[in-house]
Amino acid sequence: STQSTGENDAVRMPREIITVQVGQCGNQVGTRFWESALREHAAVNKTGTFDESMSAFFRNVDTRHDDPLEIPVGDGTSAIKCLKARAVVVDMECGVVNEMMSGPLGELFDSRQLITDVSGAGNNWAHGHEVYGPQYLDTLRESFRRSSEFCDSLQSFFLLHSLGGGTGSGPVSYTHLTLPTKRIV
């Protein structure tokens, strides 16, 4: 966190947002979102520093280690080493995720935050809900937990998914039903 020096200024705290993109729709929209976020930050942040506004959606990491080390925001003047999206990427048919990872945004995502399968839910909500939901519940929860641990002050989860179909709606609704509704400390 950063403290202002003005008499009436409050303590400022970054508010991180974890993006959860699920299914073909969620991942295609997510790809456009990340392209826009990077363009927007590059237009404003000409010096390439990692500041509070960047930390809302991105992590700055040192990738020389097997488990990349987190570089804190500090005073907002440290250089960007390697940006990683605060994201969990889910699809039960791996085609869209593979395409995203082999494209220009591939380096942006932490491969440990990718959850994929091979066959897909086939645009069938029931299959996604009743098969993939229970099968991947613990993996999804662990990814949410891991992403949350990299946050100083988690504000929210930004969910990108479809409401109809298979993966975007089925496992999401199953997982949502099992999440606690109270704050866990």
Side-chain angles (χ1 to χ4, degrees):
S1 67
T2 306
Q3 196 168 40
S4 299
T5 57
E7 185 176 308
N8 294 323
D9 292 344
V11 174
R12 295 181 332 186
M13 173 85 64
R15 301 280 188 225
E16 297 93 354
I17 299 168
I18 297 171
T19 301
V20 180
Q21 44 195 75
V22 186
Q24 180 177 350
C25 175
N27 283 299
Q28 288 174 335
V29 171
T31 298
R32 298 305 165 264
F33 167 77
W34 292 112
E35 289 169 350
S36 295
L38 287 168
R39 251 192 331 273
E40 180 180 318
H41 283 294
V44 174
N45 186 348
K46 303 281 187 200
T47 60
T49 56
F50 188 69
D51 57 18
E52 283 188 10
S53 65
M54 291 283 296
S55 73
F57 287 103
F58 300 98
R59 297 171 44 222
N60 191 19
V61 298
D62 182 347
T63 57
R64 294 177 295 173
H65 308 276
D66 289 337
D67 193 9
L69 294 177
E70 196 80 11
I71 301 171
V73 174
D75 62 2
T77 61
S78 58
I80 295 171
K81 297 288 186 197
C82 180
L83 285 181
K84 292 293 181 185
R86 294 187 188 278
V88 176
V89 177
V90 182
D91 201 347
M92 297 298 110
E93 195 284 310
C94 59
V96 173
V97 174
N98 288 345
E99 183 179 321
M100 183 177 67
M101 295 303 290
S102 64
L105 294 178
E107 293 286 319
L108 188 61
F109 298 99
D110 182 344
S111 61
R112 292 171 292 190
Q113 296 300 97
L114 306 178
I115 302 168
T116 60
D117 202 306
V118 181
S119 62
N123 288 327
N124 184 329
W125 177 88
H127 187 75
H129 188 272
E130 297 300 320
V131 175
Y132 289 123
Q135 182 178 347
Y136 285 94
L137 179 63
D138 291 338
T139 305
L140 288 165
R141 283 183 168 175
E142 177 59 20
S143 288
F144 298 157
R145 184 202 58 77
R146 179 174 165 72
S147 294
S148 299
E149 284 187 357
F150 290 117
C151 297
D152 290 328
S153 180
L154 178 60
Q155 179 179 347
S156 64
F157 289 92
F158 178 36
L159 181 61
L160 301 170
H161 70 107
S162 66
L163 296 176
T167 301
S169 59
V172 169
S173 61
Y174 183 88
T175 303
H176 178 73
L177 290 172
T178 65
L179 293 175
T181 56
K182 296 181 182 175
R183 182 177 169 192
I184 300 175
V185 181

